[in-house]
Amino acid sequence: MELQDAIRGRKSIRRFKPQTIPKETLREILELAARAPSAENTQPWEFYVLAGETLDKIRTENVEKIKNFEMPPAEMHHIMVERPKGSLFRERQVEIGKQLYGLMGIQRDDKAGRAAWVEEGFRYFEAPAAIIIVAEKSLPIEGTYLDVGAVMENICLAALDFGLHTCIENQGITYSDAVRKHASIPETKRLMAAIAIGYADWDFPANQVESLREPIDNVITWHGL
Ligand SMILES: Cc1cc2nc3c(=O)[nH]c(=O)nc-3n(C[C@H](O)[C@H](O)[C@H](O)COP(=O)(O)O)c2cc1C
């Protein structure tokens, strides 16, 4: 696959076919993705690749927790990001939400429909596998996040070359206690990111989403060119 096609073709997929992914394919994707740069080649990432019964147990426990309005563990403060009210960032957040709810035919006042849609994220959008990226807690989170971001995007791009799609999702690690318990992730490691991965179900309405981007000239400042 051409690099430009991969970059343009990557999008968040929110329903996958039940088809399982060969373990070797997942290994190849991660091997490729781990060519990502990292500060002073520290390579802070580690991957927990979850499928089958383990992933199903996490899905079930996640949904129980969200149904009970359980707060995420305090250790997950790094993913609880509030965008300033009235900001452009909040506007973009609202826009993508409106698109998704619109495609799913969920009305603003349909509380049950909205709750059911939120649960989908906590079920990894029915993906056959999820990749949890973790890093040692002894590492400072700031720089580590950049390195993890690089490997995360590489995973999403590499996946496309194997006919697979992805959704990076904070929802997947919100209940870190559930993920830790079923995937046996030690307390010394911080959960940084979750990626649902699988074969896209293109008949699913939310998968028609087309996220917008700011025109590039609005975010470039040139000097000396
Ligand atoms: C750090 C991070 C966390 C995300 N968490 C979620 C999530 O919890 N649920 C979800 O549906 N999408 C999640 N996304 C996907 C974004 O909504 C998506 O990347 C954005 O809307 C742009 O759309 P695109 O990926 O289709 O280009 C996350 C993306 C990133 C980078």
Side-chain angles (χ1 to χ4, degrees):
M1 178 178 245
E2 290 295 321
L3 183 58
Q4 288 200 22
D5 293 340
I7 293 172
R8 291 192 190 281
R10 188 214 56 80
K11 65 184 286 187
S12 295
I13 285 297
R14 295 183 176 86
R15 176 61 66 88
F16 299 88
K17 294 180 181 162
Q19 190 181 343
T20 56
I21 309 166
K23 185 176 176 181
E24 186 50 31
T25 301
L26 288 164
R27 211 193 70 82
E28 272 187 66
I29 290 169
L30 292 177
E31 203 259 334
L32 204 56
R35 292 303 308 166
S38 59
E40 295 169 284
N41 202 24
T42 41
Q43 306 166 59
W45 47 74
E46 282 179 61
F47 310 105
Y48 283 76
V49 187
L50 315 178
E53 207 181 311
T54 305
L55 189 55
D56 285 339
K57 283 183 185 164
I58 299 171
R59 290 190 232 265
T60 304
E61 193 164 332
N62 275 350
V63 170
E64 271 169 30
K65 285 174 183 286
I66 193 73
K67 273 190 195 297
N68 293 331
F69 304 103
E70 196 176 302
M71 289 299 290
E75 66 163 357
M76 295 313 289
H77 64 90
H78 57 285
I79 64 164
M80 301 300 168
V81 185
E82 272 285 307
R83 279 86 194 179
K85 281 206 176 70
S87 69
L88 188 58
F89 312 107
R90 186 70 81 99
E91 275 174 33
R92 291 173 182 155
Q93 191 180 357
V94 169
E95 192 282 330
I96 197 77
K98 272 192 186 162
Q99 248 201 77
L100 286 166
Y101 284 112
L103 285 164
M104 293 302 295
I106 303 169
Q107 306 300 319
R108 214 181 146 76
D109 56 359
D110 178 2
K111 278 193 180 160
R114 293 175 91 86
W117 175 243
V118 168
E119 280 174 26
E120 283 297 317
F122 285 91
R123 293 186 52 77
Y124 303 89
F125 301 110
E126 311 302 338
I131 299 167
I132 310 295
I133 309 178
V134 306
E136 286 290 330
K137 275 187 182 166
S138 57
L139 292 166
I141 193 161
E142 294 85 357
T144 307
Y145 240 146
L146 280 182
D147 300 336
V148 166
V151 84
M152 189 173 79
E153 173 72 344
N154 265 5
I155 292 172
C156 297
L157 295 178
L160 294 174
D161 216 21
F162 293 84
L164 290 158
H165 279 79
T166 51
C167 186
I168 300 162
E169 47 155 343
N170 279 343
Q171 284 171 293
I173 48 169
T174 298
Y175 293 118
S176 56
D177 44 351
V179 183
R180 265 188 205 292
K181 180 171 81 185
H182 297 294
S184 304
I185 302 175
E187 288 294 336
T188 50
K189 296 179 198 296
R190 182 180 278 126
L191 278 66
M192 303 289 282
I195 306 178
I197 182 166
Y199 300 95
D201 177 351
W202 291 114
D203 295 331
F204 191 71
N207 288 345
Q208 307 313 316
V209 70
E210 289 295 342
S211 62
L212 305 174
R213 293 295 183 275
E214 190 70 23
I216 200 62
D217 290 320
N218 293 356
V219 289
I220 305 177
T221 304
W222 302 101
H223 287 285
L225 282 152

